[in-house]
Amino acid sequence: LLPFVAFYLLHKSVADERHSSSYFSAATICGFLAIGSMANGVLALPIMTLFSVLIRCGWRRCGLLAVLSIFGLWIYFYGYIPPSGHGSLRGAISGNPGGLIQYVLTYIGGPFYYLAGGGANGLVLAKVAGGLLILGSSIYVWRSLKDPEQSTLELAMLFFIMYVGGTALGTAGGRLIFGIDQALSSRYMTPALMAWAALLVLSAPLILVRAPKVFSLVLLALLVAMVPQQLKALKSKQDILFERNVAALAIELGVKDQAQINNVYPDADWVLSIAKVPVERNLSIFGLPPLADLRKRLGQQPVRKDNSVNECFGHLDEIQQVPEDTRVVRVRGWIFDPSTQNQPEFLSMLDRDGKTVGFALSGQSRPDVALAVAEKAKNSGFKGYVLSEKQGMAVFAIGEGLKCRLSSNVPVLLYKVRQYSDPTAAASVSKASILDGNKWMGKDFEKSDIPGMVVLGTFIHSDADVGSMTLRMTRGDRLLYRSGPTAGRQVMEVLDSGIPPAILPVAREWTLLEFSSRKLPDQFFVKLSDNGDLWGEWSAIAVKN
């Protein structure tokens, strides 16, 4: 909004001579404030400078905007450190110019992807719509430049569209490495919608004069197309909120769980570094129950003594390795108090000596439990962290308001993440171990080519591809695994073993998984399933040829 208002006020500074100075001053202030709003705000003043030259604001005003543009860029990028794990605009232009163009078109036309209900057709429509916006804007640019001083309002809208286009281009430079579909992230739809609104402002006078009825019908059609998407607002966001709360739990405990923290931000190191002071000082959410002082309570006896003798309904379903932090394992299960017909918001995990060895949050939707136990148990799922050293040992989960406790043994991880230098030497599973019926007929997103190895994955056409594969393995076998940055629907099952399915980890780079758990038989079959059809949900393995 700040750049948009700045462009509009710059137009008013020319259109209204009586208040020209006031409008120009206000435009300059908005343009400068835009630098502090978001990263793309640094584009506002340079574009305003070009705008002021075209509409002949005078050399003093043009010079002032030029100087402020240089100063704004300097103060923004002084000491700037690019975020790790991102690409660069220069690298995208030289390495993947076609992908860069597709990303920008998808970004600009993104709203039409959602209007079409998503999928492959929606992606095509988004790219076409992005091209049409650029084409339509170019026509208006050609018309407005014939007499720029009389077309200041039109140029204000066009320069705002240029600003959104620059935003899309800058975003593409840093994010193209995550895939073209990443341009459809919901947060990018706000600038895209504003660009379309600016084009509508430009087109409205002509349309209302020449085809008002057709225009009304088009608007009605858009409203109808939006209804299915708007109805999604009625669906519960409980699971999204739950995953974000568990991410906050990881941050409070200082657990570098990239897969979980990804629900709030893609860089766990950065989040943990900036959260250090708020956690220590109990600021913001870290000063509120149930998160306050949890890190200090690990290894301590709970304040409230547990006298529960009754067992809750529930089960500790599985544990997962936290590859970036071996001090803890991630636990998942469900708990329900039959006497109160409720489940706690927060759980403390105690060992046999009564010491606190972990924490978990409840509230994850479990329709399977609701069907088998009680309708009120529909949000009885919990997720949290337990000290790694407690694998295979008994723990007790207690919660505020519970008249029972959940007793369980902490499962043992079936695989470990190992370091390696030579992928061919590190992996032991070969292509011959893959059984018939393999659906992983694609590769990983980057189409990796590893000498002496075969890469098989679910990225055939896009992230939407799904499928499963089964391998014959021996305890101690190792294979390379990789996945998109979004996890939760990549599952591993040890067939006919009675071992519960496990969710595979997020692995942005090739990760060596070693299946060496003593729980595994000497010979076994592993089924790997990728059920994720959204952005960032793909999986791949690399085995010996």
Side-chain angles (χ1 to χ4, degrees):
L1 282 175
L2 281 170
F4 176 79
V5 172
F7 296 137
Y8 178 74
L9 291 174
L10 199 55
H11 141 70
K12 291 290 288 184
S13 71
V14 174
D16 188 344
E17 295 183 3
R18 184 179 177 183
H19 302 98
S20 178
S21 297
S22 299
Y23 281 124
F24 180 79
S25 298
T28 304
I29 292 171
C30 287
F32 193 79
L33 289 176
I35 300 172
S37 59
M38 295 179 68
N40 56 357
V42 299
L43 298 173
L45 282 170
I47 295 177
M48 288 173 65
T49 303
L50 178 59
F51 185 17
S52 67
V53 171
L54 279 176
I55 60 178
R56 299 180 183 179
C57 283
W59 69 269
R60 288 186 179 86
R61 292 183 176 181
C62 294
L64 175 62
L65 289 172
V67 170
L68 285 175
S69 297
I70 296 171
F71 178 67
L73 289 168
W74 178 76
I75 62 171
Y76 187 88
F77 288 104
Y78 180 78
Y80 175 78
I81 300 175
S84 60
H86 289 61
S88 66
L89 183 58
R90 179 184 299 178
I93 292 174
S94 60
N96 190 6
L100 184 74
I101 293 172
Q102 291 187 65
Y103 190 103
V104 171
L105 292 177
T106 304
Y107 184 112
I108 296 172
F112 289 87
Y113 169 85
Y114 292 99
L115 284 174
N121 292 333
L123 186 60
V124 172
L125 181 60
K127 294 175 183 178
V128 172
L132 290 175
L133 184 139
I134 294 174
L135 177 62
S137 301
S138 301
I139 294 172
Y140 281 110
V141 168
W142 179 74
R143 291 176 53 182
S144 299
L145 289 180
K146 290 181 178 180
D147 190 1
E149 293 179 77
Q150 299 300 316
S151 307
T152 54
L153 177 59
E154 289 84 352
L155 285 171
M157 297 298 104
L158 289 167
F159 274 106
F160 177 71
I161 293 173
M162 179 192 294
Y163 169 81
V164 175
T167 299
L169 183 64
T171 305
R175 303 296 175 89
L176 180 59
I177 61 172
F178 301 128
I180 293 172
D181 290 359
Q182 200 268 345
L184 297 168
S185 299
S186 59
R187 62 186 180 276
Y188 299 156
M189 295 305 100
T190 300
L193 284 168
M194 292 180 73
W196 281 99
L199 183 63
L200 182 60
V201 170
L202 285 169
S203 308
L206 180 65
I207 295 173
L208 291 173
V209 169
R210 296 190 177 182
K213 293 183 179 180
V214 173
F215 184 58
S216 298
L217 289 173
V218 170
L219 285 181
L220 180 62
L222 285 174
L223 286 172
V224 172
M226 288 169 62
V227 169
Q229 296 300 318
Q230 291 297 307
L231 290 176
K232 291 182 179 180
L234 301 176
K235 294 183 179 180
S236 172
K237 301 297 186 291
Q238 174 67 25
D239 282 346
I240 296 174
L241 297 173
F242 172 79
E243 295 296 343
R244 292 176 180 174
N245 286 335
V246 177
L249 174 64
I251 297 167
E252 163 65 29
L253 296 175
V255 175
K256 186 183 173 183
D257 186 353
Q258 179 62 63
Q260 192 63 47
I261 293 176
N262 195 59
N263 288 284
V264 292
Y265 196 78
D267 189 338
D269 285 321
W270 186 80
V271 168
L272 291 173
S273 66
I274 65 167
K276 183 177 179 181
V277 172
V279 168
E280 291 174 351
R281 299 183 182 178
N282 284 350
L283 301 177
S284 184
I285 188 175
F286 305 111
L288 301 174
L291 298 182
D293 294 325
L294 290 188
R295 195 180 303 189
K296 299 176 183 177
R297 289 169 52 187
L298 271 177
Q300 304 296 317
Q301 299 280 353
V303 176
R304 180 179 65 86
K305 188 176 181 180
D306 176 41
N307 295 317
S308 303
V309 292
N310 297 324
E311 276 292 312
C312 295
F313 291 165
H315 189 256
L316 204 166
D317 294 333
E318 65 170 339
I319 66 169
Q320 300 163 0
Q321 184 181 10
V322 181
E324 304 87 358
D325 197 333
T326 57
R327 297 173 303 152
V328 298
V329 290
R330 193 187 308 117
V331 296
R332 186 183 69 86
W334 64 277
I335 186 170
F336 184 70
D337 186 346
S339 62
T340 62
Q341 291 286 295
N342 205 347
Q343 58 273 328
E345 176 189 5
F346 174 73
L347 293 169
S348 295
M349 303 289 187
L350 312 179
D351 63 10
R352 288 190 179 276
D353 297 327
K355 291 183 179 180
T356 304
V357 295
F359 302 101
L361 294 177
S362 182
Q364 188 176 34
S365 65
R366 290 295 299 262
D368 56 331
V369 176
L371 187 63
V373 178
E375 175 61 26
K376 290 186 177 181
K378 63 181 180 180
N379 293 321
S380 60
F382 68 78
K383 184 192 285 190
Y385 301 94
V386 171
L387 296 176
S388 291
E389 62 197 51
K390 298 301 176 179
Q391 291 184 59
M393 300 183 183
V395 295
F396 306 96
I398 63 172
E400 193 68 35
L402 280 182
K403 296 182 179 180
C404 58
R405 69 181 186 181
L406 178 63
S407 305
S408 180
N409 286 332
V410 180
V412 178
L413 280 169
L414 298 178
Y415 62 84
K416 296 179 180 178
V417 175
R418 296 296 192 187
Q419 300 295 321
Y420 69 96
S421 54
D422 182 357
T424 307
S428 61
V429 178
S430 69
K431 185 179 178 181
S433 299
I434 301 173
L435 302 188
D436 293 338
N438 172 36
K439 300 296 183 183
W440 290 28
M441 304 302 292
K443 286 197 170 187
D444 59 318
F445 172 76
E446 294 185 5
K447 310 295 183 184
S448 298
D449 186 10
I450 305 175
M453 304 193 77
V454 177
V455 175
L456 300 167
T458 59
F459 198 99
I460 302 171
H461 304 292
S462 70
D463 308 59
D465 299 320
V466 297
S468 63
M469 70 184 311
T470 304
L471 303 97
R472 182 187 297 105
M473 299 182 69
T474 301
R475 188 170 61 211
D477 270 345
R478 302 175 303 277
L479 60 80
L480 290 173
Y481 172 78
R482 192 178 189 185
S483 74
T486 303
R489 296 203 284 175
Q490 290 86 16
V491 180
M492 178 190 75
E493 300 174 75
V494 181
L495 300 180
D496 301 323
S497 67
I499 300 173
I503 297 175
L504 286 162
V506 168
R508 297 192 178 191
E509 302 297 332
W510 285 108
T511 302
L512 185 67
L513 302 183
E514 179 184 274
F515 295 82
S516 56
S517 171
R518 63 177 183 270
K519 292 284 187 179
L520 292 170
D522 293 336
Q523 303 284 334
F524 56 94
F525 295 95
V526 168
K527 182 179 180 181
L528 304 177
S529 300
D530 186 338
N531 305 314
D533 56 0
L534 301 177
W535 172 83
E537 294 183 329
W538 54 267
S539 304
I541 64 168
V543 296
K544 290 186 174 181
N545 198 344

